[in-house]
Amino acid sequence: MRFVRVALAACFLALAAFSFAPPARAADGAAVGSAAEFSLKDLDGREVKLSSFKGKVVLVNFWATWCGPCQVEMPKLQEIYAELGAKGVQIVGISTDEAKLNAAVKPLVMSKHLTYPILRDPDTKVVSQFNPAKTLPFNMLVGKDGKIASVHSGYNPGDEVKLKEELLALLAK
Amino acid sequence: MRVGRGSWAFGALFVVVPSAAWAADGAEASAPVEAAPPAPVEAPVDAPEEPAPEPMAGTLQGGSTHGLEDFRFRFYQSDQRLPDFPDEPVYDYQEFVERLQLTGGSSLLTLGLQGDAVMLASNEYILDDERSFERELWSAGLMGPHPNVWFGLEKLWLTGQSGGLSWTLGDSYEAFGRGLSLNMVRNTDIDVDTSLRGLHAAWSGGPWELHLVEAVANPQQMRMENPNVGMKPDLPHAVHGLRADWYGPVHVGAQGVAFQFARAYDPTGNPFVAWRSGLDAAVAGATVEASSVGPFDLGAEFDYFAYDAPEIPVKSGYAGYVSASAYPGVAVVLLEGKLYKDTEWANTLTSGEGYEVVSGPSLEYDRAITEDSSAAVNSNDVAGGRARVDFALGQGSDTITPYVSVASFRDQDLGGVHFNAEPETIVHAMGGILLIRGEFHVLFNGGYRMDLRDDAPASNPGDSTAHGDLSVTIPLGHELSVELAPNVLHYHWGVNPVQQTDYTDFSSAVAFKIGTPYAIIVYTDYSDNSLIASTGNVSDAVYMAGELQWQPTSATTLKLFYGAYRAGIRCAGGQCRTLPGFEGARASFTANF
């Protein structure tokens, strides 16, 4: 009986918390609609700014070498890049692995045949800006105007189809 | 006898606080959940045209605010009873945990804060008119409005950027090189979040970069994932660090870090008197990284450690790490080597608090680390290497990537948590595969590890571990999918001074997913490891639990869990922590806003 009371209270609290959630802005996080900019180094130590891709539709994909779903998603992103890259879609991968795992990053990229730029965010400064919970994988779609159009966390089978549809819609804008 | 209930009002307060922040969001808060992402705000067509501002690196353009709301509720079921009251579950209790993180600013300045709060309910009872608290939430040196409540401003930071200079006043994180000389990063997989509170400055100009850290350690006092009992004030270990990088044809870096460890909780609240006047440890080292040297990408780091702390029995140590990768044909080859001698001593005064200040690449497979083999991860005298070859066959939705790897280490440290009294040679062979066929995918890792002890009989040369973990996703159509994730480990002990018994650990998660928003997960754990401090809810060795996950938006997740999981060692990023088991119910709500 005591457990039932406690469980009911827990459900109430959880629902209460959810009922306070603002539907619109929380729908995709606060980052949506704001301008995105960051600067990170690529695997060769060159500084790359997100703004250098302005005019393109950009898909920023945060991942890590230890993240299983990320490894499943990456080849599918490469497929999208191969198809839509020439049409104005730029994919940018950002490895959030900490510094001690640096040696494992490029081998993973090579094993997945990724041809889009890969940047390093070892102290998770950039992923924290857009996704304080740091869930991975995390995708951020940026329109031609440099503003964040949507964000998506996690990967489930078929998510890449929805991502591609969103990218095509952003290209058409 | 009466069992105290605590104050539910505090729980309500925890969830109201973030709502106040959201309510301030104004008009956007009224749009429906299902609404498409709002279109970017365009300037009016007839607005006077202004030159576009130069984007600033590392910060958001214009003003923006972000937030993270993270609420946990845990109901702990306990088998503990008061004498003479075998039917009264007095020691059952509830825990409310709340974390709110807010960040706001412009391209030039950003202010962030993280507030934490925890409350225990049903944590007291009255027996014969005498009130007793079942467990202490916080101890002397911390303050709370009630013995069952604690809250605090856990992290606070102000960051700025101008030209090539960026700085943070307050809490930040930093790792130098490969983490051998400084590795103060978050490791939330094992519930570790220790920041550096002070000044962190970075300057870049041309091929040069400089990083300066002048700070004290600020561990999270409240645990997000584990029971909060006996919370203690922080020991403000002082960290002074400087690193310079040069990015030319090769990337060369050099770093120096000095530590002054705080020794005791100071009852006067003045942390300065807790430090020694001199340095307790100092590390100096250098890194080199070069791409495309012949067929190789190369990396190397060497650090020298000097100690002057009375608790540390050695005066010096050193660490070396090298890596080489090559990509011949479909093969991807990664070779790594390490040589760590008396480097773990640098963590002597912080490991008791559950975190490490230095931590280099372990070259171990985190999921196969056990109570015994964690000793090799934290060894003060270990050398070895690992070779891994992946075969990248196929691309995109038709990918198959098998790999093989073998690691070998020589561990000559007999102190710390080592169970044995002889040096060991460790050999760990592994193989695995990633298979993607459309929306079907399989990830598998399996291996066999031997810890071969010097002078051990051939019939029982040491410890051995057989392990495997699998993740299979099977699409069922109509946005339905099933994900299976079993994980098994069998451990055979060699001869020990205090003999242990062989054991098997098994865990599995079966998830039924309905599109992105819904998942029902059934967890099963089995363990007959006598070293772990928990018992199952189905039998002594068997634990079962169920969880419902709801992700109504990509920024919001609600989880409801009921059941039990086992205690044991958990490792992530080469750092390990023994975590308690759990039996009861949990609810969590996380939202980015």
Side-chain angles (χ1 to χ4, degrees):
Chain A
M1 199 54 203
R2 189 172 185 227
F3 169 73
V4 172
R5 284 200 302 271
V6 171
L8 285 172
C11 291
F12 169 77
L13 284 168
L15 289 171
F18 181 71
S19 68
F20 283 109
R25 200 174 184 189
D28 276 313
V32 172
S34 59
E37 177 59 325
F38 55 77
S39 178
L40 289 170
K41 286 192 164 51
D42 68 11
L43 299 183
D44 295 320
R46 289 185 293 260
E47 200 78 24
V48 177
K49 289 183 178 181
L50 181 64
S51 56
S52 64
F53 303 113
K54 198 161 185 179
K56 292 186 171 184
V57 173
V58 183
L59 167 58
V60 184
N61 171 240
F62 293 92
W63 57 274
T65 55
W66 45 261
C67 165
C70 302
Q71 293 192 42
V72 174
E73 182 186 45
M74 289 157 84
K76 307 202 172 199
L77 297 183
Q78 175 60 35
E79 275 188 333
I80 293 174
Y81 186 58
E83 184 181 345
L84 300 182
K87 296 177 181 171
V89 168
Q90 179 65 55
I91 296 181
V92 179
I94 298 181
S95 158
T96 62
D97 290 283
E98 57 184 293
K100 69 165 76 171
L101 298 175
N102 214 29
V105 174
K106 190 170 178 183
L108 184 76
V109 170
M110 298 299 284
S111 73
K112 301 284 177 290
H113 302 291
L114 304 184
T115 58
Y116 50 81
I118 302 294
L119 313 182
R120 292 283 286 121
D121 185 20
D123 45 13
T124 64
K125 269 183 190 165
V126 173
V127 69
S128 298
Q129 271 188 333
F130 305 107
N131 176 23
K134 298 184 182 179
T135 47
L136 294 177
F138 180 76
N139 288 308
M140 182 167 79
L141 279 74
V142 181
K144 295 174 188 171
D145 56 0
K147 292 178 179 173
I148 300 169
S150 66
V151 296
H152 302 275
S153 61
Y155 173 76
N156 287 304
D159 281 357
E160 68 276 8
V161 178
K162 295 172 192 166
L163 277 178
K164 188 176 165 185
E165 287 170 358
E166 280 192 55
L167 289 167
L168 286 169
L170 288 170
L171 272 177
K173 275 188 180 175
Chain B
M1 186 174 67
R2 185 176 67 83
V3 177
R5 294 285 177 212
S7 169
W8 293 100
F10 280 107
L13 176 65
F14 288 170
V15 294
V16 167
V17 169
S19 74
W22 289 330
D25 194 33
E28 286 182 326
S30 60
V33 175
E34 296 79 11
V41 178
E42 301 286 355
V45 176
D46 56 350
E49 197 169 325
E50 292 181 4
E54 269 303 303
M56 301 294 293
T59 55
L60 291 173
Q61 288 177 312
S64 66
T65 56
H66 291 188
L68 171 67
E69 155 57 24
D70 204 343
F71 170 74
R72 312 289 167 94
F73 166 80
R74 295 189 277 264
F75 167 64
Y76 295 90
Q77 286 182 303
S78 172
D79 295 331
Q80 189 181 356
R81 295 289 184 271
L82 283 170
D84 303 326
F85 295 91
D87 299 326
E88 291 285 348
V90 174
Y91 287 93
D92 290 3
Y93 73 109
Q94 300 92 47
E95 182 181 31
F96 299 83
V97 176
E98 161 67 20
R99 171 165 291 172
L100 178 65
Q101 193 180 97
L102 297 171
T103 311
S106 68
S107 59
L108 295 176
L109 283 175
T110 303
L111 178 67
L113 60 87
Q114 176 185 305
D116 287 356
V118 57
M119 185 194 79
L120 305 184
S122 303
N123 186 40
E124 54 200 277
Y125 62 86
I126 296 172
L127 181 63
D128 298 332
D129 293 328
E130 186 176 337
R131 172 182 290 234
S132 300
F133 286 93
E134 294 155 18
R135 55 196 67 73
E136 180 190 59
L137 175 63
W138 46 268
S139 57
L142 286 182
M143 290 182 66
H146 184 274
N148 283 333
V149 178
W150 176 88
F151 62 84
L153 187 60
E154 186 60 46
K155 312 280 186 195
L156 180 66
W157 65 95
L158 178 68
T159 64
Q161 177 153 346
S162 178
L165 180 68
S166 62
W167 51 267
T168 301
L169 274 177
D171 291 286
S172 63
Y173 304 85
E174 183 60 277
F176 284 167
R178 301 299 174 96
L180 290 163
S181 55
L182 179 66
N183 193 61
M184 301 284 280
V185 296
R186 261 191 278 202
N187 197 339
T188 50
D189 286 341
I190 53 173
D191 216 357
V192 172
D193 183 354
T194 303
S195 55
L196 287 162
R197 174 168 283 181
L199 171 67
H200 180 195
W203 172 83
S204 64
W208 289 95
E209 260 189 29
L210 287 175
H211 288 260
L212 170 73
V213 174
E214 189 61 47
V216 294
N218 178 31
Q220 63 171 3
Q221 276 167 330
M222 183 191 77
R223 291 176 164 200
M224 283 304 288
E225 309 292 347
N226 294 286
N228 287 289
V229 178
M231 298 163 67
K232 293 175 182 172
D234 297 342
L235 280 173
H237 305 299
V239 179
H240 322 276
L242 181 66
R243 177 172 164 89
D245 289 276
W246 181 74
Y247 292 90
V250 295
H251 168 204
V252 181
Q255 67 268 353
V257 185
F259 299 97
Q260 287 176 286
F261 297 110
R263 291 307 196 283
Y265 302 107
D266 175 19
T268 67
N270 179 359
F272 295 98
V273 298
W275 292 337
R276 287 177 67 228
S277 57
L279 300 177
D280 290 305
V283 190
T287 61
V288 180
E289 290 184 37
S291 297
S292 305
V293 180
F296 295 105
D297 293 332
L298 303 173
E301 174 164 353
F302 182 83
D303 291 278
Y304 178 79
F305 290 64
Y307 301 111
D308 191 34
E311 295 88 347
I312 298 176
V314 299
K315 287 296 177 190
S316 64
Y318 54 87
Y321 168 84
V322 293
S323 69
S325 54
Y327 318 99
V330 297
V332 175
V333 181
L334 174 61
L335 308 171
E336 293 175 279
K338 68 174 184 178
L339 170 61
Y340 302 161
K341 174 67 173 167
D342 291 323
T343 57
E344 277 292 322
W345 293 115
N347 296 316
T348 299
L349 283 97
T350 61
S351 58
E353 297 169 76
Y355 69 93
E356 299 181 341
V357 292
V358 304
S359 173
S362 72
L363 312 189
E364 299 268 10
Y365 184 60
D366 282 338
R367 287 191 179 190
I369 295 173
T370 65
E371 283 77 3
D372 178 56
S373 53
S374 67
V377 176
N378 296 307
S379 174
N380 267 306
D381 191 355
V382 63
R386 180 174 64 181
R388 173 172 167 148
V389 184
D390 290 62
F391 300 94
L393 310 172
Q395 290 193 40
S397 296
D398 191 9
T399 291
I400 179 166
T401 314
Y403 78 87
V404 291
S405 85
V406 62
S408 183
F409 309 104
R410 176 73 178 161
D411 182 8
Q412 302 196 82
D413 186 0
L414 305 179
V417 292
H418 285 80
F419 282 79
N420 55 295
E422 296 168 24
E424 294 177 326
T425 298
I426 298 161
V427 180
H428 191 178
M430 282 191 64
I433 193 168
L434 167 64
L435 171 69
I436 301 173
R437 288 278 185 275
E439 294 186 355
F440 170 83
H441 80 253
V442 176
L443 266 167
F444 171 74
N445 301 283
Y448 187 73
R449 173 187 172 125
M450 292 173 290
D451 296 18
L452 304 169
R453 297 176 183 173
D454 292 3
D455 302 327
S459 57
N460 192 0
D463 312 318
S464 63
T465 313
H467 63 93
D469 57 88
L470 177 71
S471 170
V472 182
T473 297
I474 306 165
L476 301 175
H478 304 289
E479 296 204 335
L480 295 174
S481 64
V482 176
E483 189 174 322
L484 311 171
N487 188 350
V488 66
L489 181 149
H490 178 74
Y491 198 84
H492 165 71
W493 286 95
V495 178
N496 295 281
V498 179
Q499 188 56 44
Q500 309 293 328
T501 53
D502 298 353
Y503 65 87
T504 301
D505 286 345
F506 171 81
S507 62
S508 80
V510 181
F512 302 91
K513 293 185 175 177
I514 308 163
T516 300
Y518 303 101
I520 299 167
I521 307 171
V522 178
Y523 299 99
T524 309
D525 278 5
Y526 169 87
S527 179
D528 57 1
N529 183 357
S530 57
L531 290 175
I532 67 169
S534 64
T535 53
N537 57 343
V538 176
S539 69
D540 280 356
V542 179
Y543 308 69
M544 285 202 73
E547 184 170 79
L548 174 66
Q549 293 185 3
W550 181 30
Q551 194 176 5
T553 73
S554 63
T556 312
T557 304
L558 179 69
K559 297 179 183 177
L560 301 172
F561 172 100
Y562 178 69
Y565 57 79
R566 67 182 173 85
I569 195 162
R570 303 273 194 281
C571 299
Q575 294 189 57
C576 302
R577 193 170 188 177
T578 300
L579 297 175
F582 176 82
E583 181 174 356
R586 297 187 309 186
S588 71
F589 171 76
T590 310
N592 289 320
F593 59 94

